[in-house]
Each structure stands twice: as structure tokens, then as C-alpha cells.
Amino acid sequence: MHAHVPIHVHSGRSTDNQLSSSTAAEGATSAATPVGAKITSQAEATGPLVQQLNAEELEVAIAERDRPLIIDFFATWCGPCLLLAKELEKVAQELGDTIRVVKVDTDKNPMLSSQLQIQGLPTMVFVGMDKDKPALRTEGLLPAEVIKEIIEKEM
């Protein structure tokens, strides 16, 4: 059901294990935005427990992690992905600050999805604190209890 896989991505930068993407439009306002309207980033829009990141933000999250990281690769049209999002919210709520849960929209980040060979959705990648230990990768919908069990036993 799950396998240990290294996350090695070469993004055109001079260092290994880094992901890159442009965030120029992230948080930008347009002329059509009404005066006084609150602008929210994708991370704010998905709730405080699970943040949506782009490739560049994910690179930073992996490099600067201070706790185990769960990355949910999803698509908005994927039914099981929507169900998994609810399970991940439960896990994030129950485990609090002991883990960080983030999500990446594969349709908005096709190069990253290709680099990491994300083919089946949803795909989760569990990144522990030991930088020498490969990440654990799962495909398919998992209930919150199974996700917590993976965190407890593998991370």
C-alpha cells in the first residue's frame, strides 16, 4: 500500500533536492478587485490546518521543516482527493503542531507532478525529520486512522 521513495528533484538550480516555480502571481491583486476587499492566498482559503502550496513553497517547506510533513498531491476534479482532504483535516486537527499537512494541486503544478512522477491521485508523500531516510509515498484514499498509524510507525 505504501513504499519508501527518495524525493530527488533537479529544478534547474545548482543544488539537489530542490523544487522551483514562479510565485509572481501569488497574492497579487488585480484592477478588478473592489476597494477594501480582502485578498486571501490559496493557503488561507483551504483553512489553517492544511495549506495549499505551489512548487516553490513546497521546496521551502521541505527544506525548512521542523516537524514531519505530509504532502497531499490532488486535483479538484478527483472525488477521492476531496474525501482525503477531509481525512487530512481530521489528522491535522488531532495531531496539531506535531505534524504539518500541505497540499499541492497537480493541475496547477504540472512540472512538479511530472518530476515527482505523480500518476495516481490522490498521492501522499510522508517526509520525516531524518533527511537520510527516504520519504514514504502512498496512492489512493486512506482513512485518518491509517494515516495516523503511518505517522506513528514510520515517521
Side-chain angles (χ1 to χ4, degrees):
M1 179 171 271
H2 55 270
H4 290 281
V5 293
I7 296 182
H8 296 286
V9 177
H10 301 283
S11 63
R13 289 189 180 184
S14 60
T15 58
D16 288 346
N17 298 327
Q18 292 186 337
L19 312 172
S20 70
S21 177
S22 173
T23 59
E26 184 77 20
T29 60
S30 71
T33 303
V35 175
K38 183 175 191 279
I39 305 299
T40 59
S41 71
Q42 285 293 341
E44 291 172 333
T46 59
L49 299 176
V50 178
Q51 294 181 313
Q52 184 170 326
L53 305 180
N54 63 29
E56 185 175 279
E57 293 164 332
L58 180 61
E59 175 184 344
V60 172
I62 291 171
E64 297 180 358
R65 69 188 180 279
D66 59 355
R67 57 191 173 216
L69 180 67
I70 300 173
I71 309 161
D72 170 25
F73 291 92
F74 77 102
T76 56
W77 48 263
C78 168
C81 297
L82 300 175
L83 296 172
L84 179 62
K86 292 177 184 176
E87 297 300 306
L88 287 172
E89 284 281 343
K90 288 181 197 174
V91 170
Q93 187 172 19
E94 291 176 25
L95 298 181
D97 289 340
T98 62
I99 60 159
R100 181 174 182 198
V101 182
V102 299
K103 55 196 289 178
V104 176
D105 186 334
T106 57
D107 289 334
K108 291 181 180 176
N109 297 280
M111 290 188 66
L112 174 63
S113 302
S114 177
Q115 288 173 333
L116 296 178
Q117 300 177 358
I118 305 297
Q119 296 172 351
L121 294 177
T123 293
M124 282 187 291
V125 177
F126 296 81
V127 183
M129 293 305 298
D130 184 353
K131 294 182 191 282
D132 294 327
K133 185 176 179 181
L136 180 72
R137 178 177 176 147
T138 65
E139 287 186 9
L141 176 61
L142 297 177
E145 292 304 315
V146 173
I147 296 168
K148 290 191 303 186
E149 185 177 310
I150 291 171
I151 293 165
E152 290 169 12
K153 292 183 179 178
E154 301 289 341
M155 301 178 80

Coordinates of all heavy atoms in Angstrom, one line a residue, residues 81-148:
C81 N -9.8 12.5 -3.9 CA -9.0 13.6 -3.4 C -9.8 14.5 -2.4 O -9.3 14.9 -1.4 CB -8.4 14.5 -4.5 SG -7.3 13.6 -5.6
L82 N -11.0 14.8 -2.8 CA -11.9 15.6 -1.9 C -12.2 14.9 -0.6 O -12.2 15.5 0.5 CB -13.2 15.9 -2.6 CG -13.0 16.7 -3.9 CD1 -14.4 16.9 -4.6 CD2 -12.4 18.0 -3.7
L83 N -12.4 13.5 -0.6 CA -12.6 12.8 0.6 C -11.3 12.7 1.4 O -11.4 12.8 2.7 CB -13.1 11.4 0.2 CG -14.4 11.3 -0.5 CD1 -14.7 9.8 -1.0 CD2 -15.5 11.8 0.4
L84 N -10.2 12.6 0.8 CA -8.9 12.6 1.5 C -8.7 13.9 2.2 O -8.1 13.9 3.3 CB -7.7 12.2 0.6 CG -6.4 12.2 1.3 CD1 -6.3 11.1 2.3 CD2 -5.3 12.0 0.2
A85 N -9.1 15.0 1.6 CA -8.9 16.3 2.2 C -9.6 16.3 3.6 O -9.0 16.9 4.5 CB -9.4 17.4 1.3
K86 N -10.7 15.8 3.7 CA -11.5 15.7 4.9 C -10.7 14.9 6.0 O -10.7 15.2 7.2 CB -12.9 15.2 4.7 CG -13.7 16.1 3.9 CD -15.1 15.6 3.7 CE -15.9 16.5 2.8 NZ -17.2 16.0 2.4
E87 N -10.2 13.8 5.5 CA -9.4 12.9 6.4 C -8.1 13.6 6.9 O -7.8 13.5 8.1 CB -9.0 11.6 5.7 CG -10.3 10.7 5.3 CD -11.1 10.3 6.5 OE1 -10.6 9.7 7.5 OE2 -12.3 10.6 6.5
L88 N -7.5 14.3 6.0 CA -6.3 15.0 6.4 C -6.6 16.2 7.4 O -5.8 16.5 8.3 CB -5.5 15.5 5.2 CG -4.8 14.5 4.4 CD1 -4.3 15.0 3.1 CD2 -3.7 13.8 5.2
E89 N -7.7 16.8 7.2 CA -8.1 17.8 8.2 C -8.3 17.2 9.6 O -7.9 17.8 10.6 CB -9.5 18.5 7.7 CG -9.3 19.5 6.6 CD -8.8 20.8 7.0 OE1 -8.8 21.2 8.2 OE2 -8.4 21.6 6.1
K90 N -8.9 16.0 9.6 CA -9.1 15.3 10.9 C -7.7 15.0 11.5 O -7.5 15.3 12.7 CB -9.8 14.0 10.7 CG -11.2 14.1 10.4 CD -11.8 12.7 10.3 CE -13.2 12.7 9.6 NZ -13.7 11.3 9.3
V91 N -6.8 14.5 10.7 CA -5.4 14.2 11.2 C -4.7 15.4 11.7 O -4.2 15.4 12.8 CB -4.6 13.5 10.1 CG1 -3.1 13.4 10.5 CG2 -5.2 12.1 9.8
A92 N -4.8 16.5 10.9 CA -4.1 17.7 11.3 C -4.7 18.3 12.6 O -4.0 18.8 13.5 CB -4.3 18.8 10.2
Q93 N -6.0 18.2 12.8 CA -6.7 18.7 14.0 C -6.3 17.8 15.2 O -6.0 18.4 16.2 CB -8.2 18.7 13.8 CG -9.0 19.3 14.9 CD -10.4 19.5 14.6 OE1 -11.0 18.8 13.7 NE2 -11.1 20.4 15.3
E94 N -6.3 16.5 15.0 CA -6.0 15.6 16.1 C -4.5 15.7 16.6 O -4.2 15.7 17.7 CB -6.3 14.2 15.8 CG -7.8 14.0 15.7 CD -8.2 12.6 15.3 OE1 -7.4 11.6 15.5 OE2 -9.3 12.4 14.7
L95 N -3.6 15.8 15.6 CA -2.2 15.8 15.9 C -1.6 17.2 16.1 O -0.4 17.3 16.6 CB -1.4 15.0 14.8 CG -1.8 13.6 14.7 CD1 -0.9 12.9 13.6 CD2 -1.7 12.8 16.0
G96 N -2.3 18.2 15.7 CA -1.9 19.6 16.0 C -0.5 19.9 15.4 O -0.2 19.6 14.3
D97 N 0.3 20.6 16.2 CA 1.6 21.0 15.8 C 2.7 20.0 15.7 O 3.8 20.3 15.4 CB 2.1 22.1 16.8 CG 1.3 23.4 16.6 OD1 0.7 23.6 15.6 OD2 1.3 24.2 17.6
T98 N 2.3 18.7 16.0 CA 3.4 17.7 15.9 C 3.7 17.3 14.4 O 4.7 16.7 14.1 CB 2.9 16.4 16.6 OG1 1.7 15.9 16.0 CG2 2.7 16.7 18.1
I99 N 2.8 17.7 13.5 CA 3.0 17.5 12.0 C 2.6 18.7 11.3 O 1.9 19.6 11.8 CB 2.2 16.2 11.5 CG1 0.7 16.5 11.7 CG2 2.6 14.9 12.1 CD1 -0.2 15.7 10.8
R100 N 2.9 18.7 10.0 CA 2.5 19.8 9.1 C 1.9 19.1 7.9 O 2.5 18.2 7.3 CB 3.6 20.7 8.7 CG 3.1 21.8 7.8 CD 4.2 22.9 7.4 NE 3.6 23.9 6.6 CZ 4.3 24.7 5.9 NH1 5.6 24.7 5.9 NH2 3.7 25.6 5.1
V101 N 0.7 19.5 7.5 CA 0.0 18.9 6.4 C -0.2 20.0 5.3 O -0.7 21.1 5.6 CB -1.4 18.3 6.7 CG1 -2.1 17.7 5.5 CG2 -1.3 17.3 7.9
V102 N 0.3 19.7 4.1 CA 0.2 20.6 3.0 C -0.4 19.9 1.8 O -0.3 18.6 1.7 CB 1.5 21.3 2.6 CG1 2.1 22.1 3.8 CG2 2.6 20.3 2.1
K103 N -0.9 20.6 0.8 CA -1.4 20.0 -0.4 C -0.9 20.8 -1.6 O -0.7 22.0 -1.6 CB -3.0 19.9 -0.3 CG -3.6 21.3 -0.1 CD -5.1 21.1 0.4 CE -6.0 20.6 -0.7 NZ -7.4 20.4 -0.3
V104 N -0.8 20.0 -2.7 CA -0.3 20.6 -4.0 C -1.3 20.2 -5.1 O -1.6 19.0 -5.3 CB 1.1 20.1 -4.3 CG1 1.5 20.6 -5.7 CG2 2.1 20.5 -3.2
D105 N -1.8 21.2 -5.8 CA -2.7 20.9 -6.9 C -1.9 20.5 -8.1 O -1.1 21.3 -8.6 CB -3.6 22.2 -7.2 CG -4.6 22.0 -8.2 OD1 -4.5 21.1 -9.1 OD2 -5.6 22.7 -8.2
T106 N -2.1 19.2 -8.5 CA -1.3 18.7 -9.6 C -1.6 19.4 -11.0 O -0.7 19.5 -11.8 CB -1.4 17.2 -9.8 OG1 -2.8 16.9 -10.0 CG2 -0.9 16.5 -8.6
D107 N -2.8 19.9 -11.1 CA -3.1 20.6 -12.4 C -2.5 22.0 -12.4 O -2.1 22.5 -13.5 CB -4.6 20.8 -12.5 CG -5.3 19.5 -12.8 OD1 -4.7 18.6 -13.4 OD2 -6.5 19.3 -12.5
K108 N -2.3 22.6 -11.3 CA -1.6 23.9 -11.3 C -0.1 23.8 -11.2 O 0.6 24.8 -11.4 CB -2.1 24.7 -10.0 CG -3.5 25.2 -10.2 CD -4.0 26.0 -8.9 CE -5.4 26.4 -9.1 NZ -5.8 27.1 -7.8
N109 N 0.4 22.6 -10.9 CA 1.9 22.4 -10.8 C 2.3 21.2 -11.6 O 2.8 20.2 -11.1 CB 2.2 22.2 -9.3 CG 2.0 23.4 -8.5 OD1 2.7 24.4 -8.5 ND2 0.8 23.4 -7.8
P110 N 2.0 21.2 -13.0 CA 2.3 20.0 -13.8 C 3.8 19.6 -13.9 O 4.1 18.4 -13.9 CB 1.7 20.4 -15.2 CG 1.7 21.9 -15.2 CD 1.5 22.3 -13.8
M111 N 4.7 20.6 -13.9 CA 6.1 20.2 -13.9 C 6.5 19.5 -12.7 O 7.3 18.5 -12.7 CB 7.0 21.5 -14.2 CG 6.8 22.0 -15.6 SD 8.0 23.3 -15.9 CE 9.5 22.4 -15.9
L112 N 6.1 20.0 -11.5 CA 6.4 19.3 -10.2 C 5.8 17.9 -10.2 O 6.5 16.9 -9.9 CB 5.9 20.1 -9.1 CG 6.0 19.4 -7.7 CD1 7.5 19.3 -7.3 CD2 5.3 20.3 -6.6
S113 N 4.6 17.8 -10.7 CA 3.9 16.5 -10.7 C 4.7 15.5 -11.6 O 4.9 14.3 -11.3 CB 2.5 16.6 -11.2 OG 1.8 17.5 -10.4
S114 N 5.2 16.0 -12.7 CA 5.9 15.2 -13.6 C 7.3 14.8 -13.0 O 7.7 13.6 -13.1 CB 6.1 15.9 -15.0 OG 6.9 15.2 -15.8
Q115 N 8.0 15.7 -12.4 CA 9.3 15.5 -11.8 C 9.2 14.4 -10.7 O 10.1 13.6 -10.6 CB 9.9 16.8 -11.2 CG 10.3 17.8 -12.2 CD 10.8 19.1 -11.5 OE1 10.3 19.4 -10.5 NE2 11.6 19.8 -12.2
L116 N 8.1 14.5 -9.9 CA 7.9 13.5 -8.9 C 7.2 12.3 -9.3 O 6.9 11.4 -8.5 CB 7.2 14.2 -7.7 CG 8.0 15.3 -7.0 CD1 7.2 16.0 -5.9 CD2 9.3 14.9 -6.5
Q117 N 6.9 12.2 -10.6 CA 6.1 11.0 -11.1 C 4.8 10.8 -10.4 O 4.5 9.6 -10.1 CB 7.1 9.8 -11.2 CG 8.3 10.0 -12.0 CD 9.2 8.9 -12.0 OE1 9.0 7.9 -11.4 NE2 10.3 9.0 -12.8
I118 N 4.1 11.8 -10.2 CA 2.7 11.7 -9.6 C 1.8 11.2 -10.7 O 1.6 12.0 -11.7 CB 2.3 13.0 -9.0 CG1 3.3 13.6 -8.0 CG2 0.9 12.8 -8.4 CD1 3.5 12.7 -6.8
Q119 N 1.3 10.0 -10.6 CA 0.4 9.5 -11.7 C -0.9 9.2 -11.1 O -1.9 9.5 -11.8 CB 1.1 8.2 -12.3 CG 2.4 8.6 -13.0 CD 3.2 7.4 -13.4 OE1 2.8 6.2 -13.1 NE2 4.2 7.6 -14.2
G120 N -1.0 8.5 -10.0 CA -2.3 8.2 -9.4 C -2.7 9.2 -8.4 O -1.8 9.7 -7.7
L121 N -4.0 9.6 -8.3 CA -4.4 10.6 -7.3 C -5.5 9.9 -6.5 O -6.3 9.1 -6.9 CB -5.0 11.8 -8.0 CG -4.0 12.6 -8.8 CD1 -4.7 13.8 -9.5 CD2 -2.9 13.2 -8.0
P122 N -5.5 10.3 -5.2 CA -4.5 11.2 -4.5 C -3.3 10.4 -4.2 O -3.3 9.2 -4.0 CB -5.3 11.6 -3.3 CG -6.2 10.4 -3.0 CD -6.6 9.9 -4.3
T123 N -2.2 11.2 -4.2 CA -0.9 10.6 -3.8 C -0.4 11.4 -2.5 O -0.5 12.7 -2.6 CB 0.2 10.8 -4.9 OG1 -0.2 9.9 -5.9 CG2 1.6 10.4 -4.4
M124 N 0.0 10.7 -1.5 CA 0.5 11.4 -0.3 C 2.0 11.0 -0.2 O 2.4 9.9 -0.5 CB -0.2 11.0 0.9 CG -1.5 11.6 1.1 SD -2.3 11.3 2.7 CE -2.6 9.5 2.5
V125 N 2.8 12.0 0.2 CA 4.2 11.8 0.5 C 4.4 12.2 1.9 O 4.1 13.3 2.3 CB 5.1 12.6 -0.5 CG1 6.6 12.4 -0.1 CG2 4.9 12.2 -1.9
F126 N 5.0 11.3 2.7 CA 5.3 11.5 4.1 C 6.8 11.7 4.3 O 7.6 10.9 4.0 CB 4.9 10.3 5.0 CG 3.4 9.9 5.0 CD1 2.8 9.3 3.9 CD2 2.6 10.3 6.0 CE1 1.5 9.0 3.9 CE2 1.2 10.0 6.0 CZ 0.7 9.4 4.9
V127 N 7.1 12.9 4.7 CA 8.5 13.3 4.8 C 8.9 13.5 6.3 O 8.3 14.4 6.9 CB 8.8 14.6 4.0 CG1 10.3 15.0 4.1 CG2 8.4 14.5 2.6
G128 N 9.7 12.6 6.8 CA 10.1 12.7 8.2 C 11.2 13.6 8.5 O 11.6 14.4 7.6
M129 N 11.7 13.6 9.7 CA 12.8 14.6 10.1 C 14.2 14.1 9.7 O 15.1 14.9 9.5 CB 12.7 14.8 11.6 CG 11.4 15.6 12.0 SD 11.2 17.1 11.1 CE 12.7 18.0 11.6
D130 N 14.3 12.8 9.5 CA 15.6 12.2 9.1 C 15.8 12.4 7.6 O 15.2 11.8 6.8 CB 15.7 10.7 9.5 CG 17.0 10.1 9.2 OD1 17.9 10.8 8.6 OD2 17.2 8.9 9.6
K131 N 16.8 13.3 7.3 CA 17.0 13.7 5.9 C 17.6 12.5 5.1 O 17.6 12.5 3.9 CB 17.9 14.9 5.8 CG 17.2 16.2 6.3 CD 18.0 17.4 6.1 CE 17.5 18.6 6.9 NZ 16.4 19.3 6.3
D132 N 18.2 11.5 5.8 CA 18.8 10.4 5.1 C 17.7 9.3 4.8 O 18.0 8.4 4.1 CB 19.9 9.8 5.9 CG 21.1 10.8 6.0 OD1 21.3 11.5 5.1 OD2 21.8 10.8 7.1
K133 N 16.6 9.4 5.5 CA 15.6 8.3 5.3 C 14.7 8.7 4.1 O 14.2 9.9 4.1 CB 14.8 8.2 6.6 CG 13.7 7.1 6.5 CD 13.0 6.9 7.9 CE 12.0 5.8 7.8 NZ 11.3 5.7 9.1
P134 N 14.4 7.8 3.2 CA 13.6 8.2 2.1 C 12.1 8.5 2.5 O 11.7 8.0 3.5 CB 13.6 6.9 1.2 CG 14.7 6.1 1.7 CD 14.9 6.5 3.1
A135 N 11.5 9.3 1.8 CA 10.1 9.7 2.1 C 9.2 8.4 1.8 O 9.6 7.6 1.0 CB 9.6 10.8 1.2
L136 N 8.1 8.4 2.4 CA 7.1 7.3 2.2 C 6.0 7.8 1.3 O 5.5 9.0 1.5 CB 6.5 6.9 3.6 CG 5.5 5.8 3.6 CD1 6.2 4.5 3.3 CD2 4.8 5.7 4.9
R137 N 5.6 7.1 0.3 CA 4.7 7.5 -0.6 C 3.5 6.5 -0.7 O 3.7 5.3 -0.7 CB 5.4 7.6 -2.0 CG 4.5 8.0 -3.1 CD 5.4 8.1 -4.4 NE 4.6 8.4 -5.5 CZ 5.0 9.1 -6.5 NH1 6.3 9.6 -6.5 NH2 4.3 9.4 -7.6
T138 N 2.3 7.1 -0.7 CA 1.1 6.2 -0.9 C 0.2 6.8 -2.0 O 0.3 8.0 -2.3 CB 0.2 6.2 0.4 OG1 -0.3 7.5 0.7 CG2 1.0 5.7 1.6
E139 N -0.6 5.9 -2.6 CA -1.5 6.4 -3.6 C -2.9 5.8 -3.2 O -3.0 4.7 -2.7 CB -1.2 5.8 -5.0 CG 0.0 6.5 -5.6 CD 0.2 6.0 -7.1 OE1 -0.6 5.3 -7.6 OE2 1.3 6.4 -7.6
G140 N -3.9 6.7 -3.4 CA -5.3 6.3 -3.1 C -5.8 6.9 -1.8 O -5.0 7.5 -1.0
L141 N -7.1 6.7 -1.5 CA -7.7 7.3 -0.4 C -7.4 6.4 0.9 O -7.5 5.2 0.8 CB -9.2 7.3 -0.6 CG -10.1 7.7 0.6 CD1 -9.8 9.2 1.0 CD2 -11.6 7.6 0.1
L142 N -6.9 7.0 1.9 CA -6.7 6.4 3.2 C -7.5 7.1 4.3 O -7.6 8.3 4.3 CB -5.2 6.4 3.6 CG -4.2 5.8 2.6 CD1 -2.8 6.0 3.1 CD2 -4.5 4.3 2.5
P143 N -8.1 6.3 5.2 CA -8.8 6.9 6.3 C -7.8 7.5 7.3 O -6.6 7.2 7.4 CB -9.5 5.7 7.0 CG -8.8 4.5 6.5 CD -8.2 4.8 5.2
A144 N -8.3 8.5 8.1 CA -7.5 9.2 9.1 C -6.7 8.3 10.0 O -5.6 8.5 10.3 CB -8.4 10.2 9.9
E145 N -7.4 7.2 10.4 CA -6.7 6.3 11.4 C -5.5 5.6 10.7 O -4.5 5.4 11.4 CB -7.7 5.2 11.8 CG -8.8 5.7 12.7 CD -8.3 6.5 13.9 OE1 -7.3 6.0 14.6 OE2 -8.8 7.6 14.2
V146 N -5.5 5.3 9.5 CA -4.4 4.7 8.8 C -3.3 5.7 8.6 O -2.1 5.4 8.8 CB -4.8 4.1 7.4 CG1 -3.6 3.6 6.6 CG2 -5.8 2.9 7.6
I147 N -3.7 6.9 8.3 CA -2.7 8.0 8.1 C -1.9 8.2 9.4 O -0.7 8.3 9.5 CB -3.3 9.3 7.6 CG1 -3.9 9.1 6.2 CG2 -2.4 10.5 7.6 CD1 -4.8 10.2 5.7
K148 N -2.7 8.2 10.5 CA -2.1 8.4 11.9 C -1.1 7.2 12.2 O -0.1 7.4 12.8 CB -3.1 8.6 12.9 CG -3.8 10.0 12.8 CD -4.7 10.3 14.0 CE -5.7 9.2 14.3 NZ -6.7 9.6 15.3

